[in-house]
PDB file of all heavy atoms in Angstrom:
ATOM      1  N   THR E   1      17.141 -39.428  42.534  1.00 86.00           N
ATOM      2  CA  THR E   1      16.686 -40.893  42.657  1.00 86.00           C
ATOM      3  C   THR E   1      17.883 -41.791  42.856  1.00 86.00           C
ATOM      4  O   THR E   1      17.924 -42.680  43.807  1.00 86.00           O
ATOM      5  CB  THR E   1      15.930 -41.334  41.421  1.00 86.00           C
ATOM      6  OG1 THR E   1      14.794 -40.560  41.356  1.00 86.00           O
ATOM      7  CG2 THR E   1      15.464 -42.749  41.547  1.00 86.00           C
ATOM      8  N   GLY E   2      18.955 -41.647  42.002  1.00 87.00           N
ATOM      9  CA  GLY E   2      20.197 -42.410  42.197  1.00 87.00           C
ATOM     10  C   GLY E   2      20.834 -42.223  43.623  1.00 87.00           C
ATOM     11  O   GLY E   2      21.257 -43.170  44.221  1.00 87.00           O
ATOM     12  N   TYR E   3      20.809 -40.986  44.069  1.00 91.00           N
ATOM     13  CA  TYR E   3      21.459 -40.579  45.334  1.00 91.00           C
ATOM     14  C   TYR E   3      20.707 -41.317  46.398  1.00 91.00           C
ATOM     15  O   TYR E   3      21.332 -41.825  47.366  1.00 91.00           O
ATOM     16  CB  TYR E   3      21.396 -39.090  45.427  1.00 91.00           C
ATOM     17  CG  TYR E   3      21.741 -38.533  46.777  1.00 91.00           C
ATOM     18  CD1 TYR E   3      23.116 -38.272  47.044  1.00 91.00           C
ATOM     19  CD2 TYR E   3      20.872 -38.328  47.820  1.00 91.00           C
ATOM     20  CE1 TYR E   3      23.462 -37.710  48.292  1.00 91.00           C
ATOM     21  CE2 TYR E   3      21.214 -37.871  49.048  1.00 91.00           C
ATOM     22  CZ  TYR E   3      22.598 -37.515  49.233  1.00 91.00           C
ATOM     23  OH  TYR E   3      23.046 -37.032  50.466  1.00 91.00           O
ATOM     24  N   LYS E   4      19.388 -41.341  46.406  1.00 84.00           N
ATOM     25  CA  LYS E   4      18.646 -42.023  47.492  1.00 84.00           C
ATOM     26  C   LYS E   4      18.882 -43.463  47.541  1.00 84.00           C
ATOM     27  O   LYS E   4      18.948 -44.037  48.637  1.00 84.00           O
ATOM     28  CB  LYS E   4      17.144 -41.789  47.305  1.00 84.00           C
ATOM     29  CG  LYS E   4      16.756 -40.332  47.563  1.00 84.00           C
ATOM     30  CD  LYS E   4      15.244 -40.250  47.637  1.00 84.00           C
ATOM     31  CE  LYS E   4      14.494 -40.884  46.447  1.00 84.00           C
ATOM     32  NZ  LYS E   4      12.993 -40.791  46.630  1.00 84.00           N
ATOM     33  N   VAL E   5      18.962 -44.122  46.358  1.00 80.00           N
ATOM     34  CA  VAL E   5      18.961 -45.636  46.379  1.00 80.00           C
ATOM     35  C   VAL E   5      20.370 -46.155  46.208  1.00 80.00           C
ATOM     36  O   VAL E   5      20.594 -47.464  46.244  1.00 80.00           O
ATOM     37  CB  VAL E   5      18.030 -46.206  45.349  1.00 80.00           C
ATOM     38  CG1 VAL E   5      16.654 -45.729  45.536  1.00 80.00           C
ATOM     39  CG2 VAL E   5      18.475 -45.882  43.850  1.00 80.00           C
ATOM     40  N   GLY E   6      21.362 -45.295  45.933  1.00 83.00           N
ATOM     41  CA  GLY E   6      22.728 -45.745  45.730  1.00 83.00           C
ATOM     42  C   GLY E   6      23.365 -46.753  46.707  1.00 83.00           C
ATOM     43  O   GLY E   6      23.788 -47.855  46.277  1.00 83.00           O
ATOM     44  N   PRO E   7      23.294 -46.642  47.969  1.00 81.00           N
ATOM     45  CA  PRO E   7      23.881 -47.538  48.883  1.00 81.00           C
ATOM     46  C   PRO E   7      23.111 -48.877  48.859  1.00 81.00           C
ATOM     47  O   PRO E   7      23.747 -49.942  48.923  1.00 81.00           O
ATOM     48  CB  PRO E   7      23.547 -46.877  50.287  1.00 81.00           C
ATOM     49  CG  PRO E   7      23.462 -45.434  50.009  1.00 81.00           C
ATOM     50  CD  PRO E   7      22.854 -45.263  48.644  1.00 81.00           C
ATOM     51  N   GLN E   8      21.838 -48.848  48.641  1.00 76.00           N
ATOM     52  CA  GLN E   8      21.113 -50.208  48.542  1.00 76.00           C
ATOM     53  C   GLN E   8      21.320 -50.838  47.203  1.00 76.00           C
ATOM     54  O   GLN E   8      21.269 -52.134  47.103  1.00 76.00           O
ATOM     55  CB  GLN E   8      19.587 -49.975  48.789  1.00 76.00           C
ATOM     56  CG  GLN E   8      19.303 -49.588  50.200  1.00 76.00           C
ATOM     57  CD  GLN E   8      20.013 -50.421  51.256  1.00 76.00           C
ATOM     58  OE1 GLN E   8      19.810 -51.713  51.187  1.00 76.00           O
ATOM     59  NE2 GLN E   8      20.781 -49.915  52.158  1.00 76.00           N
ATOM     60  N   PHE E   9      21.533 -50.091  46.192  1.00 81.00           N
ATOM     61  CA  PHE E   9      21.835 -50.661  44.864  1.00 81.00           C
ATOM     62  C   PHE E   9      23.103 -51.452  44.903  1.00 81.00           C
ATOM     63  O   PHE E   9      23.153 -52.643  44.442  1.00 81.00           O
ATOM     64  CB  PHE E   9      21.939 -49.589  43.763  1.00 81.00           C
ATOM     65  CG  PHE E   9      22.276 -50.110  42.425  1.00 81.00           C
ATOM     66  CD1 PHE E   9      21.323 -50.682  41.626  1.00 81.00           C
ATOM     67  CD2 PHE E   9      23.577 -50.139  41.942  1.00 81.00           C
ATOM     68  CE1 PHE E   9      21.622 -51.236  40.375  1.00 81.00           C
ATOM     69  CE2 PHE E   9      23.991 -50.590  40.688  1.00 81.00           C
ATOM     70  CZ  PHE E   9      22.986 -51.182  39.889  1.00 81.00           C
ATOM     71  N   PHE E  10      24.215 -50.913  45.521  1.00 82.00           N
ATOM     72  CA  PHE E  10      25.488 -51.602  45.601  1.00 82.00           C
ATOM     73  C   PHE E  10      25.393 -52.745  46.618  1.00 82.00           C
ATOM     74  O   PHE E  10      26.099 -53.774  46.498  1.00 82.00           O
ATOM     75  CB  PHE E  10      26.515 -50.626  45.873  1.00 82.00           C
ATOM     76  CG  PHE E  10      26.835 -49.770  44.696  1.00 82.00           C
ATOM     77  CD1 PHE E  10      26.475 -48.358  44.690  1.00 82.00           C
ATOM     78  CD2 PHE E  10      27.578 -50.314  43.615  1.00 82.00           C
ATOM     79  CE1 PHE E  10      26.754 -47.696  43.525  1.00 82.00           C
ATOM     80  CE2 PHE E  10      27.880 -49.500  42.500  1.00 82.00           C
ATOM     81  CZ  PHE E  10      27.373 -48.249  42.417  1.00 82.00           C
ATOM     82  N   ARG E  11      24.515 -52.596  47.587  1.00 74.00           N
ATOM     83  CA  ARG E  11      24.338 -53.628  48.640  1.00 74.00           C
ATOM     84  C   ARG E  11      23.629 -54.863  47.954  1.00 74.00           C
ATOM     85  O   ARG E  11      23.954 -56.013  48.343  1.00 74.00           O
ATOM     86  CB  ARG E  11      23.559 -53.102  49.744  1.00 74.00           C
ATOM     87  CG  ARG E  11      23.471 -54.094  50.994  1.00 74.00           C
ATOM     88  CD  ARG E  11      22.120 -54.238  51.673  1.00 74.00           C
ATOM     89  NE  ARG E  11      22.149 -55.226  52.636  1.00 74.00           N
ATOM     90  CZ  ARG E  11      21.978 -56.529  52.383  1.00 74.00           C
ATOM     91  NH1 ARG E  11      22.076 -57.063  51.198  1.00 74.00           N
ATOM     92  NH2 ARG E  11      21.923 -57.394  53.373  1.00 74.00           N
ATOM     93  N   GLY E  12      22.842 -54.525  46.987  1.00 72.00           N
ATOM     94  CA  GLY E  12      22.170 -55.598  46.228  1.00 72.00           C
ATOM     95  C   GLY E  12      23.147 -56.518  45.470  1.00 72.00           C
ATOM     96  O   GLY E  12      22.703 -57.637  45.037  1.00 72.00           O
ATOM     97  N   LEU E  13      24.361 -56.008  45.259  1.00 73.00           N
ATOM     98  CA  LEU E  13      25.309 -56.844  44.554  1.00 73.00           C
ATOM     99  C   LEU E  13      26.039 -57.908  45.525  1.00 73.00           C
ATOM    100  O   LEU E  13      26.795 -58.711  44.998  1.00 73.00           O
ATOM    101  CB  LEU E  13      26.327 -55.946  43.889  1.00 73.00           C
ATOM    102  CG  LEU E  13      25.684 -54.883  42.910  1.00 73.00           C
ATOM    103  CD1 LEU E  13      26.826 -54.071  42.382  1.00 73.00           C
ATOM    104  CD2 LEU E  13      24.888 -55.574  41.828  1.00 73.00           C
ATOM    105  N   LYS E  14      25.742 -57.761  46.797  1.00 74.00           N
ATOM    106  CA  LYS E  14      26.430 -58.769  47.767  1.00 74.00           C
ATOM    107  C   LYS E  14      25.670 -59.976  47.850  1.00 74.00           C
ATOM    108  O   LYS E  14      24.519 -60.102  47.432  1.00 74.00           O
ATOM    109  CB  LYS E  14      26.464 -58.085  49.143  1.00 74.00           C
ATOM    110  CG  LYS E  14      27.290 -56.856  49.243  1.00 74.00           C
ATOM    111  CD  LYS E  14      27.348 -56.301  50.655  1.00 74.00           C
ATOM    112  CE  LYS E  14      28.274 -55.093  50.749  1.00 74.00           C
ATOM    113  NZ  LYS E  14      28.254 -54.571  52.202  1.00 74.00           N
ATOM    114  N   SER E  15      26.315 -61.070  48.240  1.00 69.00           N
ATOM    115  CA  SER E  15      25.835 -62.472  48.137  1.00 69.00           C
ATOM    116  C   SER E  15      24.541 -62.615  49.048  1.00 69.00           C
ATOM    117  O   SER E  15      23.639 -63.317  48.643  1.00 69.00           O
ATOM    118  CB  SER E  15      26.821 -63.507  48.520  1.00 69.00           C
ATOM    119  OG  SER E  15      27.374 -63.138  49.891  1.00 69.00           O
ATOM    120  N   ASP E  16      24.442 -61.949  50.215  1.00 69.00           N
ATOM    121  CA  ASP E  16      23.326 -62.173  51.044  1.00 69.00           C
ATOM    122  C   ASP E  16      22.021 -61.550  50.474  1.00 69.00           C
ATOM    123  O   ASP E  16      20.953 -61.832  50.982  1.00 69.00           O
ATOM    124  CB  ASP E  16      23.572 -61.670  52.462  1.00 69.00           C
ATOM    125  CG  ASP E  16      23.960 -60.207  52.527  1.00 69.00           C
ATOM    126  OD1 ASP E  16      24.317 -59.639  51.482  1.00 69.00           O
ATOM    127  OD2 ASP E  16      23.780 -59.644  53.552  1.00 69.00           O
ATOM    128  N   ALA E  17      22.211 -60.625  49.517  1.00 80.00           N
ATOM    129  CA  ALA E  17      20.984 -60.067  48.940  1.00 80.00           C
ATOM    130  C   ALA E  17      20.717 -60.629  47.556  1.00 80.00           C
ATOM    131  O   ALA E  17      19.773 -60.203  46.862  1.00 80.00           O
ATOM    132  CB  ALA E  17      21.248 -58.518  48.721  1.00 80.00           C
ATOM    133  N   LEU E  18      21.329 -61.839  47.260  1.00 89.00           N
ATOM    134  CA  LEU E  18      21.266 -62.404  45.893  1.00 89.00           C
ATOM    135  C   LEU E  18      19.807 -62.749  45.674  1.00 89.00           C
ATOM    136  O   LEU E  18      19.324 -62.571  44.476  1.00 89.00           O
ATOM    137  CB  LEU E  18      22.193 -63.639  45.732  1.00 89.00           C
ATOM    138  CG  LEU E  18      22.297 -64.226  44.455  1.00 89.00           C
ATOM    139  CD1 LEU E  18      22.750 -63.202  43.388  1.00 89.00           C
ATOM    140  CD2 LEU E  18      23.283 -65.435  44.436  1.00 89.00           C
ATOM    141  N   PRO E  19      19.042 -63.463  46.538  1.00 92.00           N
ATOM    142  CA  PRO E  19      17.699 -63.782  46.227  1.00 92.00           C
ATOM    143  C   PRO E  19      16.847 -62.569  45.864  1.00 92.00           C
ATOM    144  O   PRO E  19      16.021 -62.678  44.896  1.00 92.00           O
ATOM    145  CB  PRO E  19      17.106 -64.503  47.524  1.00 92.00           C
ATOM    146  CG  PRO E  19      18.403 -64.974  48.171  1.00 92.00           C
ATOM    147  CD  PRO E  19      19.484 -63.974  47.868  1.00 92.00           C
ATOM    148  N   GLN E  20      16.923 -61.560  46.670  1.00 92.00           N
ATOM    149  CA  GLN E  20      16.149 -60.336  46.319  1.00 92.00           C
ATOM    150  C   GLN E  20      16.549 -59.801  44.880  1.00 92.00           C
ATOM    151  O   GLN E  20      15.734 -59.287  44.163  1.00 92.00           O
ATOM    152  CB  GLN E  20      16.322 -59.289  47.330  1.00 92.00           C
ATOM    153  CG  GLN E  20      15.790 -59.687  48.703  1.00 92.00           C
ATOM    154  CD  GLN E  20      15.895 -58.665  49.681  1.00 92.00           C
ATOM    155  OE1 GLN E  20      16.049 -57.443  49.430  1.00 92.00           O
ATOM    156  NE2 GLN E  20      16.005 -59.023  51.059  1.00 92.00           N
ATOM    157  N   LEU E  21      17.889 -59.836  44.609  1.00 92.00           N
ATOM    158  CA  LEU E  21      18.334 -59.277  43.396  1.00 92.00           C
ATOM    159  C   LEU E  21      17.873 -60.176  42.188  1.00 92.00           C
ATOM    160  O   LEU E  21      17.278 -59.627  41.119  1.00 92.00           O
ATOM    161  CB  LEU E  21      19.844 -59.418  43.317  1.00 92.00           C
ATOM    162  CG  LEU E  21      20.657 -58.903  42.057  1.00 92.00           C
ATOM    163  CD1 LEU E  21      20.268 -57.409  41.753  1.00 92.00           C
ATOM    164  CD2 LEU E  21      22.055 -59.039  42.159  1.00 92.00           C
ATOM    165  N   ILE E  22      17.852 -61.483  42.347  1.00 94.00           N
ATOM    166  CA  ILE E  22      17.393 -62.369  41.260  1.00 94.00           C
ATOM    167  C   ILE E  22      15.823 -62.198  41.057  1.00 94.00           C
ATOM    168  O   ILE E  22      15.438 -62.071  39.888  1.00 94.00           O
ATOM    169  CB  ILE E  22      17.609 -63.873  41.637  1.00 94.00           C
ATOM    170  CG1 ILE E  22      19.159 -64.126  41.623  1.00 94.00           C
ATOM    171  CG2 ILE E  22      16.912 -64.839  40.723  1.00 94.00           C
ATOM    172  CD1 ILE E  22      19.471 -65.453  42.146  1.00 94.00           C
ATOM    173  N   LEU E  23      15.099 -62.076  42.101  1.00 95.00           N
ATOM    174  CA  LEU E  23      13.663 -61.793  42.022  1.00 95.00           C
ATOM    175  C   LEU E  23      13.338 -60.536  41.363  1.00 95.00           C
ATOM    176  O   LEU E  23      12.490 -60.451  40.490  1.00 95.00           O
ATOM    177  CB  LEU E  23      13.013 -61.862  43.417  1.00 95.00           C
ATOM    178  CG  LEU E  23      11.498 -61.485  43.562  1.00 95.00           C
ATOM    179  CD1 LEU E  23      10.725 -62.507  42.632  1.00 95.00           C
ATOM    180  CD2 LEU E  23      11.057 -61.521  44.920  1.00 95.00           C
ATOM    181  N   THR E  24      14.169 -59.468  41.597  1.00 95.00           N
ATOM    182  CA  THR E  24      13.944 -58.184  41.002  1.00 95.00           C
ATOM    183  C   THR E  24      14.246 -58.231  39.500  1.00 95.00           C
ATOM    184  O   THR E  24      13.495 -57.727  38.688  1.00 95.00           O
ATOM    185  CB  THR E  24      14.889 -57.173  41.619  1.00 95.00           C
ATOM    186  OG1 THR E  24      14.622 -57.031  43.049  1.00 95.00           O
ATOM    187  CG2 THR E  24      14.671 -55.760  41.008  1.00 95.00           C
ATOM    188  N   VAL E  25      15.318 -58.945  39.114  1.00 95.00           N
ATOM    189  CA  VAL E  25      15.601 -59.103  37.625  1.00 95.00           C
ATOM    190  C   VAL E  25      14.443 -59.889  37.030  1.00 95.00           C
ATOM    191  O   VAL E  25      14.011 -59.480  35.898  1.00 95.00           O
ATOM    192  CB  VAL E  25      16.946 -59.808  37.524  1.00 95.00           C
ATOM    193  CG1 VAL E  25      17.249 -60.114  36.045  1.00 95.00           C
ATOM    194  CG2 VAL E  25      18.163 -58.966  38.060  1.00 95.00           C
TER     195      VAL E  25
END
């Protein structure tokens, strides 16, 4: 599970993905 989503998890830490990250939290 971690292997599949790893790239997108770290991509979520970037500023352009911030709204999606905040909504998820």
